[in-house]
Amino acid sequence: MLRQYLKMLKTGIKTEPVRKIVRDPDVERLGAEVKRRVDRDFAGSLAIREVDAGSCNGCELEIHALNNVYYDVERFGVHFVASPRHADVLLVTGPVSRNMEAALIRTYEATPDPKWVIACGDCAVCGGEFGISYVSCGAVENVIPVDVKIPGCPPSPAVLLAGILEALGKVRKKK
Amino acid sequence: MTVLSEYLSALNAAGIETTETGSLTPASVWRIPAIAWERAAELAKIRGWRWSAGWGEDLGERLQINALLEREGRYLLLRAEVPAENPVLPSQALHYPAADRSERHTRDLLGIDFEGGDGRRWTRHHAWNETEHPLRKDFPVGGEPPETTPPDHDYPFVAAQGAGVYEIPVGPVHAGIIEPGHFRFQAVGETILNLEERLGYVHKGIEKIAEGRDAEGLARLAGRVSGDTTVGHAWAACLAMERACGVEAPERATFLRAILAERERIANHLGDLGAICNDVAFAFAHYQFGRLREDWLRTQRALFGHRLLMDRIVPGGVNVDLDKAATDRLDAELNRLGRELDTLIDICDRNTTLGDRLYTTGRLTVKTAAAFGCLGYVGRCAGQGFDARRDAPYPPYDQLTVKGVVEEAGDVASRFWVRYKEICVSLRLLRVLLGRLPESDIRTELPPPPAGAEGLGIVEGWRGEIVTYVRFGDDGRIDRFFPRDPSWLNWPALERIVLENIVPDFPVCNKSVNGSYSGVDL
């Protein structure tokens, strides 16, 4: 146990701006802006339900990274929830496979209004490498309405954060 | 007597006519009559051959079925043909349970009937009719899907009965940030009596949309078979295409490919070690491993231009190079990670609550692992030591020594420790690779392949052996692409691993296996 505490002390707090890789030069400012809007429009807590509708799992890896100690999106009031019934936002990845079409529609219907849909990654935005085929519906907007698109294969965590901020910009309109 | 000639004489003794039709590096190719398909599997099984991969092809009036076997690092590709009109042959799944899902996938996509096998559909949900088969050449890539594809509501799951037995359906939309699949548990109290997996939800037609692509396009697609194995699948596909074209990647390119592959292995293992800890609420380790993984990905972004290394391996070589400053930086990073891991692993090892949850949980027996032909860390935790880098080496591993990692406990803890040891092996390999990086080009031109040229690429991905088959058609366009992710052989093991465990331990059992959905749904 002592070693664990020593390691914690030695590691210190790793939350920091990631200037090098972010499109926006100041992720902290981006995060602060996300937090300000979440506080204002969502009583301090924005709930996201992630739905993989046919991705290769690349986007999921980067969405996971949003929760690591460097980005730690929860400090901006953003958290991922287990059920669409708890969600304000659906973050959908992948070209929508036809085998997931019904599940995605049902997830969308199970999400209470008002709700926002973010298409995450090239496949979700335009079909990507897979496009439309006998078993792929292509872009998410071919199946459910989409509010914000985040391109990238996969988008980096910082780009994802910018996408979430963009979605927050559309909130007042819908509410 | 070699393992091949021993098997050949057994086939001859059983009256099975075998025609040797040359080789498909690294495999020998034997054509056998369709009627003997099952018997050939039985004889191979007795002799200790491991069933590795199976796929079918539409050759016009006839359909060709392939089964790849391996023993002592020797590969053998069995081939049979059946008429396209009435394609029937006996199932190999009776002797090789690993062949079950593969055969069902082949039946759904090509219409080949495997007699005596599990008759239920696998990849086909409801996007196309039972009488249609997407991998037949006359099936249009767009298909004729219904307006909205209905959910898969009538799949005949195995039903357990008895007092107090209840069923828990989970998925396809899971509670976490994870790929979709459906799990059907039967339980008494908290104890799992039976688990049945129903996958296929992320089937996006990879094999069909590969047809007609050029080599570059196929490499890009292969890099997205499974997002966490982008290096492994792209390497296997490029190796297959290079062999079909009769060229070899320059030596420096093979070293760079291996550097990328070992880095991918470490990145995924770091993530999984943390995730396993997270699933038993040891948040400290989750954050620490997550931090190490993030540092690792940032280096990849800085030096290779992509956090997950997508599209870095291309037909004929690679499209990234390292200068002296970069190799120095990578080398320094290895030392740093090694030191960090020493202290972290020590903390994990001494943490009694972690040990309490991981040891004896989710046991895979050596017998089951052998029966399913489990690969990678799933196989290695239960006595299956096969490693393509060591046992069937391809450049640059033919110049390197790869230390084997094998355990026999088969529990979640064992899969945890195998992962850690694999990181250590990869760190050593990376030091050697960086230190001996040869001077040469990093890419060679792929000559136009003749129609019908085929190649096999077998590499050790982070989950285990990846097998990729490629055949070119006219004008250097792809005619058939089949990538076999190790998850094909590891997913069935999960159904056994969870038995007699409690339902709340399923997540950690699942995470310790970490099968790819996209990689098997294709």
Side-chain angles (χ1 to χ4, degrees):
Chain A
M1 210 58 195
L2 183 63
R3 283 160 190 266
Q4 187 175 323
Y5 287 129
L6 281 174
K7 184 70 187 169
M8 282 172 172
L9 285 170
K10 218 169 146 190
T11 303
I13 294 170
K14 282 293 181 187
T15 303
E16 42 104 70
V18 277
R19 290 190 177 81
K20 269 185 207 160
I21 59 160
V22 75
R23 283 182 186 170
D24 192 306
D26 197 341
V27 159
E28 283 304 308
R29 192 188 53 73
L30 199 63
E33 184 60 21
V34 167
K35 176 134 177 48
R36 196 179 64 78
R37 298 210 188 183
V38 169
D39 284 346
R40 189 187 68 191
D41 296 331
F42 290 91
S45 166
L46 180 77
I48 300 181
R49 171 67 261 214
E50 196 269 349
V51 186
D52 178 342
S55 93
C56 73
N57 198 34
C59 288
E60 277 63 30
L61 294 174
E62 293 296 56
I63 295 169
H64 268 295
L66 263 185
N67 287 313
N68 75 30
V69 291
Y70 280 100
Y71 305 97
D72 186 23
V73 286
E74 290 214 5
R75 72 197 156 114
F76 304 131
V78 176
H79 58 274
F80 289 85
V81 292
S83 166
R85 299 198 191 281
H86 304 156
D88 303 302
V89 171
L90 290 182
L91 184 65
V92 188
T93 63
V96 182
S97 75
R98 296 196 194 274
N99 290 350
M100 270 302 283
E101 194 180 354
L104 178 61
I105 292 169
R106 287 181 181 183
T107 305
Y108 180 77
E109 286 168 354
T111 312
D113 286 319
K115 57 195 165 198
W116 294 266
V117 175
I118 304 177
C120 171
D122 285 348
C123 295
V125 169
C126 67
E129 200 62 41
F130 303 99
I132 297 175
S133 75
Y134 71 98
V135 77
S136 165
C137 304
V140 173
E141 67 184 356
N142 296 341
V143 180
I144 56 172
V146 168
D147 298 289
V148 172
K149 298 172 183 178
I150 308 178
C153 187
S156 68
V159 173
L160 285 169
L161 191 60
I164 291 169
L165 182 60
E166 196 190 331
L168 289 168
K170 306 209 169 185
V171 166
R172 284 265 158 122
K173 243 186 348 194
K174 211 163 183 171
K175 269 189 167 175
Chain B
M1 199 156 36
T2 68
V3 290
L4 272 170
S5 57
E6 185 202 344
Y7 181 38
L8 181 62
S9 50
L11 288 175
N12 287 339
I16 297 172
E17 196 186 320
T18 316
T19 327
E20 195 160 351
T21 55
S23 78
L24 195 56
T25 311
S28 307
V29 183
W30 292 356
R31 194 166 288 284
I32 60 171
I35 191 82
W37 195 243
E38 182 208 329
R39 183 83 173 115
E42 186 182 6
L43 293 170
K45 174 78 188 213
I46 295 166
R47 274 158 192 81
W49 287 81
R50 174 175 64 87
W51 191 93
S52 170
W55 68 95
E57 297 168 74
D58 183 357
L59 299 180
E61 298 199 336
R62 306 186 73 74
L63 303 179
Q64 181 167 269
I65 301 98
N66 303 273
L68 186 71
L69 305 173
E70 179 272 337
R71 188 183 162 193
E72 294 174 16
R74 296 297 302 271
Y75 283 95
L76 172 62
L77 185 65
L78 293 180
R79 278 186 162 161
E81 283 189 359
V82 288
E85 279 302 303
N86 181 28
V88 180
L89 81 172
S91 167
Q92 294 188 332
L94 187 62
H95 309 290
Y96 286 113
D100 171 65
R101 290 180 182 180
S102 178
E103 288 181 352
R104 291 163 70 188
H105 175 77
T106 305
R107 193 204 40 235
D108 286 355
L109 292 181
L110 268 167
I112 296 170
D113 196 8
F114 290 90
E115 279 186 321
D118 187 336
R120 294 174 299 166
R121 59 201 154 80
W122 181 252
T123 309
R124 187 183 77 82
H125 287 201
H126 289 292
W128 68 93
N129 295 325
E130 199 178 346
T131 53
E132 298 174 324
H133 306 293
L135 279 184
R136 294 282 184 109
K137 296 290 183 197
D138 56 9
F139 185 95
V141 69
E144 288 171 1
E147 180 82 17
T148 301
T149 307
D152 192 24
H153 50 76
D154 54 354
Y155 183 79
F157 287 96
V158 172
Q161 289 171 345
V165 178
Y166 64 100
E167 204 171 67
I168 312 171
V170 181
V173 179
H174 297 306
I177 301 166
I178 178 175
E179 298 178 87
H182 184 86
F183 297 91
R184 191 67 64 99
F185 297 90
Q186 272 117 21
V188 170
E190 285 204 305
T191 309
I192 300 169
L193 286 185
N194 189 42
L195 162 64
E196 202 173 345
E197 296 156 5
R198 175 85 186 100
L199 305 183
Y201 287 91
V202 285
H203 174 56
K204 42 194 172 285
I206 287 173
E207 290 166 276
K208 184 75 176 182
I209 62 173
E211 292 174 7
R213 283 183 178 235
D214 59 9
E216 303 259 345
L218 187 75
R220 264 200 323 277
L221 183 64
R224 285 156 184 82
V225 166
S226 176
D228 50 23
T229 319
T230 181
V231 172
H233 276 289
W235 191 352
C238 288
L239 193 57
M241 289 191 284
E242 287 152 16
R243 282 172 175 163
C245 295
V247 290
E248 279 181 19
E251 201 183 13
R252 187 175 178 87
T254 66
F255 271 67
L256 289 165
R257 283 175 172 185
I259 289 169
L260 297 173
E262 296 308 329
R263 287 193 65 94
E264 178 172 87
R265 193 182 320 278
I266 290 175
N268 283 302
H269 282 333
L270 286 175
D272 277 3
L273 286 171
I276 289 171
C277 294
N278 188 47
D279 274 346
V280 295
F282 188 38
F284 164 79
H286 179 217
Y287 294 140
Q288 293 287 346
F289 283 117
R291 170 178 66 88
L292 296 178
R293 179 182 152 90
E294 178 68 22
D295 288 338
W296 197 249
L297 297 191
R298 288 180 180 199
T299 306
Q300 291 180 175
R301 170 70 201 244
L303 297 184
F304 301 106
H306 195 284
R307 283 164 57 92
L308 303 180
L309 305 173
M310 278 172 175
D311 305 325
R312 306 300 109 167
I313 292 187
V314 290
V318 290
N319 59 12
V320 281
D321 205 352
L322 295 171
D323 56 19
K324 179 75 172 66
T327 55
D328 286 348
R329 180 171 164 186
L330 290 176
D331 217 32
E333 190 186 28
L334 299 182
N335 296 330
R336 208 161 52 236
L337 179 63
R339 276 197 310 275
E340 291 266 16
L341 273 179
D342 284 347
T343 50
L344 253 183
I345 281 294
D346 189 43
I347 290 168
C348 290
D349 193 21
R350 286 162 192 266
N351 189 289
T352 47
T353 55
L354 185 65
D356 189 44
R357 293 293 306 277
L358 302 191
Y359 285 99
T360 74
T361 303
R363 264 204 172 130
L364 174 67
T365 64
V366 173
K367 203 175 151 199
T368 307
F372 286 125
C374 291
L375 293 166
Y377 49 83
V378 178
R380 274 169 218 149
C381 79
Q384 311 307 306
F386 182 80
D387 187 326
R389 293 173 297 173
R390 182 195 61 196
D391 301 323
Y394 46 98
Y397 295 104
D398 49 358
Q399 309 173 30
L400 305 168
T401 311
V402 181
K403 191 166 166 268
V405 177
V406 191
E407 298 207 358
E408 299 212 329
D411 53 7
V412 173
S414 181
R415 286 186 285 283
F416 181 92
W417 287 109
V418 166
R419 275 185 166 83
Y420 164 65
K421 289 175 188 171
E422 285 192 12
I423 292 179
C424 297
V425 172
S426 290
L427 286 175
R428 274 197 293 274
L429 281 170
L430 279 170
R431 276 194 197 98
V432 177
L433 287 163
L434 289 166
R436 287 180 19 198
L437 198 58
E439 290 299 327
S440 78
D441 292 339
I442 56 166
R443 191 171 183 186
T444 182
E445 198 69 28
L446 233 54
E454 50 183 3
L456 203 56
I458 300 176
V459 305
E460 187 74 14
W462 76 275
R463 281 195 182 90
E465 171 207 50
I466 295 170
V467 175
T468 297
Y469 172 77
V470 169
R471 192 185 54 233
F472 284 99
D474 296 327
D475 306 323
R477 300 277 157 179
I478 301 296
D479 198 38
R480 181 77 174 101
F481 167 59
F482 176 71
R484 201 279 284 127
D485 192 87
S487 305
W488 278 99
L489 303 151
N490 291 342
W491 270 119
L494 180 64
E495 292 184 345
R496 300 303 184 94
I497 280 172
V498 299
L499 295 184
E500 292 175 34
N501 283 264
I502 57 173
V503 177
D505 271 344
F506 172 72
V508 72
C509 292
N510 187 28
K511 195 68 215 178
S512 71
V513 172
N514 193 5
S516 167
Y517 297 71
S518 181
V520 302
D521 289 350
L522 298 179

